[in-house]
Amino acid sequence: MPAADRERLDAAIADLGTGSRSWSHLTLSQRARLLERLHATTAANAEEWADVASLSKGLEPGHPLRGEEWLAGPYATLVALAAYRESLEALAKGASPLDGVTTDAAPGGRIRAHTFPLHAMDGLLLSGYTGEVWFEPGVTAEQARASAGLGQLHPTISGGVGLVLGAGNVTSIPVLDVLYELLAHNRVAILKVNPTQDSLVPVYERALAPLIEPGFLRIVRGGGEVGAYLTGHAAIDHVHITGAAPTFDAIVWGSGAAATRRRRDGRPQLKKPITAELGGVSPIIVVPGRWTDADLRYQTEHIATMRLQNSGHNCIAGQVVIISADWPQRVEFLAALRESFGKAPARPVWYPRSDEKLESAASSYPDATRSGDGTRLLIEVAPGDDATALETTEYFAPVLGVVELGGNGQEFLDAAVAHANDRLVGTLGANVLIDPETQAALGDGFERAIADLRYGAISVNSWTAFAFLTPTLTWGGYPGGTLDEVVSGIGVVHNALLLDRVERSLTRGPFRPFPRSIPRILRTRSLSKGSVLPKPPWFVDSRTGATVSEGFTRYRMDGNLARLVGTLVQAYRA
């Protein structure tokens, strides 16, 4: 690396050393006001943020999928800032961020906190969706409340200077990772932006100016050589990466024969702590039941969204659909899935080396069906055929597979959970689709099966992206990742309630959208048992997804209720 580049990086880290001391002198109330300023600067740059991100992914003005970049960028950041600010305000008054949050028992000697929705407007905008944080077995409700706050319980104790190696696929991830370093650990950060997001750096610099000006954040560009220099820098106290397991291993152990020796001897080349959020192969477990034609169409569109949102360049993109070979509606389901997967709007496959991933999948499964101008692959693995490549390779591209197991009801669900746990690589996110009648019939057996899933985020009739977008939930791999076997990562992020000893987060959504949800709402006399909203705006085939996603974000920017009414009208045209 040229000497001038090293000097520039050294200067940035020196600035952060000063900023770290300044941060430790801020009161909790001052930190809350700082987040209020950040909310304003983020809102001021939100439109450009969404536009630059869309163009960088080949989504030109007017493209129906540009709403994805509103939600995955400024929206996710704005709701996180608001939630963190509320936690800081509670702590400043001597309260716990968990005060007022319902807690109850979860299977396996656990407790859970019902952390979404916490406000009436959240319940309206995302009607029918709920979120829970499950704590490790043995944690009591009193312990959970007392420990909520993490680093902000000891605000004067500095966490030093951290390095955030930013993700290259979703534009809010680098920002959210920086916020978590600062608020969970009192650690200022140098953010190395992934080269795929270089065009966003000017937007980040303006949106995050309240952190940059006092020396709480520095943003740098560069490739692998910059990352290597920073991870080895003596003044960096901690490393956080969002990426893939091979990159993590290269940072911790190095490469080639030297890495093999270090692993054997238990001597990692990285001498400082590291946390990570890494991907995996996410399952979509489809529990057999009696589905209407409308159910088949809606839920296969849901599955297509799980795979095709952001062209499949998501660490939580659903990759393996697990269905019952004995389901009487198996043939109808597969026909609907082929149609939904094939007819979704065309879009660029933009992430580097995606073409190689597609060809690798096609080589492993030459009978796979291509669609989307040849850029999508649907792999249907017949019973008895080898699904190893599909289940152990995170393709990070528009590749969706179907695996069949025997059984119905509880027998199938238990087998599918065991299959996902034991055969699929990774522990980041799992999805389960089940109609309410079948779920009611399974009763406690369903909740036990959910508890048996070893994933950091589980979504029932929802998608794990909802857990990612909800700041009062946690995001990360299932506990147990180590330097030797990192799986889907170490630690969590997001977690705006600053909860300690978390095991997983769970989201639940409506099986049927409005108006087909009305009979269940009337039968149960509870709005929480169904949805008064139609197809969610993040569905890739939502006709008004771009308009509604932008409208939801603008509401988070300025709270304009009059304009929100117009957005909700558009939502009903989805």
Side-chain angles (χ1 to χ4, degrees):
M1 189 189 303
D5 289 345
R6 289 197 301 272
E7 291 171 2
R8 174 175 53 86
L9 296 173
D10 291 344
I13 295 172
D15 290 344
L16 290 167
T18 303
S20 178
R21 292 187 290 275
S22 299
W23 176 259
S24 66
H25 287 91
L26 292 185
T27 66
L28 294 177
S29 295
Q30 288 172 325
R31 295 175 185 189
R33 290 196 294 274
L34 176 64
L35 295 190
E36 192 171 356
R37 283 187 57 209
L38 269 173
H39 190 281
T41 52
T42 299
N45 289 277
E47 184 170 353
E48 184 181 3
W49 183 335
D51 187 54
V52 172
S54 297
L55 291 173
S56 73
K57 299 180 181 184
L59 304 177
E60 298 294 333
H63 197 287
L65 296 174
R66 283 170 69 96
E68 291 180 1
E69 298 310 313
W70 279 94
L71 290 180
Y75 178 93
T77 304
L78 290 165
V79 294
L81 288 168
Y84 279 125
R85 187 177 71 246
E86 289 183 3
S87 291
L88 287 173
E89 290 169 347
L91 290 164
K93 294 185 294 186
S96 167
L98 267 184
D99 286 350
V101 177
T102 300
T103 59
D104 60 12
R110 302 171 175 89
I111 64 157
R112 61 185 169 190
H114 296 266
T115 61
F116 184 88
L118 295 180
H119 301 289
M121 189 55 72
D122 291 331
L124 171 65
L125 295 181
L126 296 162
S127 169
Y129 288 86
T130 62
E132 311 156 15
V133 174
W134 290 27
F135 293 87
E136 297 172 354
V139 176
T140 67
E142 293 74 20
Q143 290 171 334
R145 291 184 192 280
S147 61
L150 296 179
Q152 300 313 300
L153 294 174
H154 310 283
T156 61
I157 299 177
S158 171
V161 178
L163 166 64
V164 172
L165 297 172
N169 58 328
V170 175
T171 62
S172 64
I173 292 177
V175 178
L176 297 177
D177 289 350
V178 164
L179 290 174
Y180 197 65
E181 286 287 285
L182 193 60
L183 295 166
H185 305 293
N186 286 320
R187 197 154 44 225
V188 299
I190 183 166
L191 167 63
K192 192 197 84 66
V193 173
N194 189 291
T196 62
Q197 297 192 5
D198 276 352
S199 60
L200 271 166
V201 169
V203 180
Y204 287 155
E205 290 174 337
R206 290 192 294 275
L208 303 178
L211 294 182
I212 295 171
E213 290 164 359
F216 304 151
L217 172 66
R218 289 292 181 267
I219 302 174
V220 298
R221 295 179 172 94
E225 74 286 354
V226 173
Y229 181 76
L230 292 172
T231 56
H233 200 287
I236 294 294
D237 299 294
H238 180 274
V239 177
H240 177 79
I241 177 175
T242 295
T247 306
F248 176 92
D249 289 340
I251 292 170
V252 173
W253 301 104
S255 58
T260 303
R261 288 194 301 273
R262 291 190 190 99
R263 280 185 178 274
R264 182 191 63 214
D265 299 338
R267 294 184 299 104
Q269 72 171 6
L270 186 70
K271 306 302 182 184
K272 58 198 66 176
I274 183 170
T275 52
E277 186 266 278
L278 311 174
V281 175
S282 293
I284 306 168
I285 298 173
V286 180
V287 183
R290 295 179 61 184
W291 291 15
T292 66
D293 289 345
D295 293 337
L296 290 166
R297 183 170 60 252
Y298 178 80
Q299 292 299 348
T300 55
E301 290 169 352
H302 197 178
I303 292 171
T305 294
M306 295 180 193
R307 180 72 259 185
L308 296 178
Q309 201 268 0
N310 198 24
S311 293
H313 310 317
N314 288 331
C315 54
I316 40 145
Q319 182 165 305
V320 176
V321 183
I322 304 175
I323 67 170
S324 170
D326 301 320
W327 187 16
Q329 292 181 283
R330 166 187 166 277
V331 172
E332 292 89 339
F333 171 84
L334 290 174
L337 181 61
R338 295 182 198 112
E339 181 180 1
S340 295
F341 191 70
K343 74 177 184 181
R347 64 184 309 153
V349 179
W350 63 271
Y351 204 78
R353 302 183 63 186
S354 293
D355 54 344
E356 297 175 22
K357 299 291 184 69
L358 282 165
E359 292 312 311
S360 172
S363 176
S364 297
Y365 300 98
D367 294 331
T369 302
R370 284 189 181 266
S371 59
D373 296 328
T375 61
R376 300 174 195 162
L377 220 57
L378 180 60
I379 301 166
E380 299 180 42
V381 181
D385 287 353
D386 186 8
T388 302
L390 176 67
E391 295 177 336
T392 60
T393 306
E394 184 191 7
Y395 287 114
F396 214 67
V399 177
L400 180 67
V402 180
V403 171
E404 300 183 18
L405 305 176
N408 277 298
Q410 194 71 51
E411 177 191 12
F412 166 79
L413 179 56
D414 290 344
V417 166
H419 190 93
N421 285 340
D422 300 338
R423 298 287 298 274
L424 274 59
V425 167
T427 63
L428 186 59
N431 311 275
V432 180
L433 302 179
I434 183 169
D435 65 87
E437 295 77 18
T438 300
Q439 183 175 339
L442 295 182
D444 291 343
F446 177 77
E447 294 299 322
R448 176 188 53 75
I450 293 300
D452 288 342
L453 271 170
R454 296 193 296 270
Y455 287 84
I458 300 170
S459 290
V460 179
N461 294 332
S462 177
W463 174 29
T464 47
F466 185 80
F468 172 90
L469 281 175
T470 304
T472 50
L473 299 175
T474 57
W475 186 248
Y478 191 77
T482 64
L483 296 185
D484 282 309
E485 191 65 37
V486 70
V487 197
S488 286
I490 299 171
V492 299
V493 290
H494 303 185
N495 187 24
L497 296 177
L498 300 171
L499 306 177
D500 196 16
R501 297 183 63 187
V502 167
E503 182 183 66
R504 71 182 84 188
S505 286
L506 178 65
T507 73
R508 304 176 194 260
F511 182 75
R512 298 180 178 101
F514 183 87
R516 294 191 300 112
S517 59
I518 291 176
R520 178 168 170 77
I521 293 172
L522 295 176
R523 187 167 61 251
T524 61
R525 298 182 180 179
S526 173
L527 287 176
S528 66
K529 299 300 182 182
S531 180
V532 296
L533 291 178
K535 181 179 293 186
W538 56 83
F539 270 43
V540 292
D541 62 342
S542 171
R543 290 186 298 177
T544 59
T547 300
V548 175
S549 297
E550 178 180 345
F552 278 8
T553 307
R554 290 193 180 279
Y555 172 73
R556 298 299 185 182
M557 291 161 58
D558 58 20
N560 187 318
L561 287 171
R563 188 166 58 207
L564 178 62
V565 171
T567 297
L568 293 176
V569 170
Q570 290 296 316
Y572 280 94
R573 298 182 56 243

